[in-house]
Amino acid sequence: MSINNSKTEVKRLFIGAGCNRIVNNVSWGASDLVSFGAQNAVVIFCPKSAQILTTLPGHKAVVNCTHWLPSNKFVFKAKQLERHYLLSGDADGVIILWELSLADNKWRHVLQLPKSHKKGVTCITGFMVSQTDAIFATSSSDGTVCVWDVVFPTSSGCECKLSCLETLVVGSRPMVTLSLGQLPGNTGLVALAMGGLDNKIYLYCGERTGKFVRACELKGHADWIRSLDFSLPILSGEADSVLLVSSSQDKGIRIWKLTLQGSLANTEGTYKRGGIGLASYIEGPVFVAGPFSYQISLESLLIGHEDWVYSVQWQPPSLAAEEEIGFYQPQSILSASMDKTMMIWQPERKTGIWMNVVTVGELSHCALGFYGGHWSPDARSILAHGYGGSFHMWKNIGVSSDNWQPQKVPSGHFAAVTDIAWARCGEYLLSVSHDQTTRIFAPWHNRDPQSDGDSWNEIARPQVHGHDINCAAIIQGKGNHRFISGAEEKVARVFEAPLSFLKTLHYAISEQSSFPEDVQADVQVLGANMSALGLSQKPIYVNATHEIQENLGNDGLDTLESVPDAVPVALTEPPIEDQLAWHTLWPESHKLYGHGNELFSLCCDHEGKLVASSCKAQSATVAEIWLWQVGSWKAVGRLQSHSLTVTQMEFSHDDTLLLAVSRDRQFSIFKINRAGNDEIDYKLVARQEAHKRIIWACSWNPFGHEFATGSRDKTVKIWGVEKTSSVKPLLTLPQFDSSVTALSWVGLDRQRNDGLLAVGMENGLLQIWSLHVERSGDSIPTPGVATAQIIRLDSFMCHVSAVNRLAWKNPENNENSTNLQLASCGADHCVRLYEVIVH
């Protein structure tokens, strides 16, 4: 997606995001696209390219569930469709219908369903009656289940027709899973199965027009029902039948068979009572729906998982088989469990006994269990989403026999992303988050001449921590790649790149395959190991001999205390989740002690000599800014000025001034003098109350001593530092619609002193302003700034919650450049990258 302006164009390059850790969050559509929720955003990704395509803004609460119409199950009804639809439900009970036009890949917010749920939506399930008609059901933790009918337009000008067929009140124990199916025989009757917290499955039946009646309840599971799925009609020699599969927290999976017994319409009412005798009930419950009677029997009980089974799903029908024999339901079920595995179950040919034929995921240490599993529409791939917000995909690449191999999938943070920083030369982007990880995203150079070019991927996870991480800074200057991060603890930690990362990065971004030997000689650390408590990361040295410890007493069982040894290697393709979680850690080289509270903000000067840090504070002594000398890591200064938390700091581009902004609504400017003998002189030269509310953000002009501040009072102000060190206000931009939470200034033309200022807001929206600074001189008695808003990014390109940080790639190297890159991160778990082309 791109936005054009007469002078500027903005394109979306990359989105990284993790999945909300909620059951029913993911859906794989007949369009072959996957939807999921990332905080309040609905995210769409393409499994073939392993890239996130877009995010859909509209929800004001966490997205709990998504469901495609048609879903992967109904790909046979989607052949001629020009438009596909998606439902998304959130924690406030709001459900939105979206439309995707396949011709131009454009998304549209169609409608918000009339408010029918008072609490969060727990499940959405749909059934395609025809290509243009669907019924779907929604459940909520308020104890209601609604059944809806939607008729899609046949031509582009028309709108969807939506009606609520029925609202069922299911009582104090809410339903968490639903499935819709057609009852056996061409009866036109619809069955709705629901399960929840009372261990029973309830079956409701109704006609297409509405009025659903409770038919029966199925008992057998010993814990909460977690997933239900109706099969499509079964082709077999017996009477018409449909299968219902259920899974539960009792670790078991049950397959129930619904069989049509006969029609009761053409006989007397007395037969209706007497015809269903005791013998029938031995097989299982019998119920009447309309003029037909049906029997339910337990077909099979599948035992194999060792933990809660969160999802079960029938394999979608094969399109190839449909042409020959008409469409049918393959006898194959995918299950996903908190025991870190997904299994495919099929009946044996001779005995008909259901067996586990494929198991994937059992070797992974990182997943901590799967929340759901999904088939691709062609049933050649399976996708799971896990406890760590991660996706795991396997593809069957076997020809004559099954061979399921892991595939690349999108990845990202699964909590608010708090800070981002570009590498010194812009090779990669580093981000930190409240999900307690630090991640590195980089473009992977594609060596295939037929490919679309480089694609961005997560290539390393240097820090996996035990506290939420609030801030980070890349350490500039010569030498190895280093960064410093600060979390919800009083210690700042310094990390240095190991040899395995340097080789991976070299392979990812360069055309040459040989690695420079001088770097190899300098760096003696190959990787890092996680400690059992997950706080410090210990180095693995290049020449270390790998000792195998004899673990007596636990017989090789994987206990909570044992952490697997990392195997750091140079990667030749973008890594998957298992590799990222354990094998790409960086060793921690230093800890910086001094602050009295949790760290909040960090920055490094452009020469790579000094790091400034601040922490959460409610008094002047705690609100000190500490200066640390890079290399020796000694504390060389404690700068006092503010009385509350310093929210952001930045060194001017000549490193002579340090700007700090604070919750106390003031900014401070310190003059930094580097005397000989590595000594630092510092002096507070200006302090001023700049805004009426908290100042969240600041940014220097790369070409001078002008800077911008942004505040909760919805304003951005431009200031100039004069030679006398006094600060003058130069300009206030027109008031914004929301609190300003992030700023970043990039230079375009040093001679003319032109630049761009990116502004990020609490509502997630981004704007870019052009700034032209006029300094005082002979012809201009007073300095000033000429501005123009050049672009408001479309809401589909922006964040859906507060923007936490903006960063232009390498401002120093951008002089007279027309192609710029802007990175942003936000509370919606997303890291975004834009290309800004200035004409």
Side-chain angles (χ1 to χ4, degrees), residues 727-747:
V727 177
K728 274 197 172 174
L730 302 181
L731 177 81
T732 301
L733 295 184
Q735 186 147 354
F736 291 86
D737 299 333
S738 180
S739 302
V740 175
T741 51
L743 293 171
S744 187
W745 193 332
V746 66

Side-chain angles (χ1 to χ4, degrees), residues 141-154:
S141 37
D142 64 4
T144 61
V145 173
C146 295
V147 185
W148 309 79
D149 180 77
V150 60
V151 179
F152 301 126
T154 47

Side-chain angles (χ1 to χ4, degrees), residues 15-18 27 34-45 52-56 63 66 68 86 107 391 828 830 832:
I15 302 170
S27 178
V34 174
S35 62
F36 66 94
Q39 205 235 15
N40 303 352
V42 178
V43 186
I44 309 297
F45 88 77
I52 292 175
L53 305 179
T54 189
T55 57
L56 310 179
V63 175
T66 63
W68 283 92
L86 177 68
W107 280 91
F391 286 105
D828 60 358
C830 290
R832 294 167 187 265

Side-chain angles (χ1 to χ4, degrees), residues 400-418:
S400 54
S401 61
D402 281 358
N403 180 11
W404 295 86
Q405 290 299 319
Q407 303 294 306
K408 181 78 190 94
V409 282
S411 63
H413 294 284
F414 58 90
V417 189
T418 45

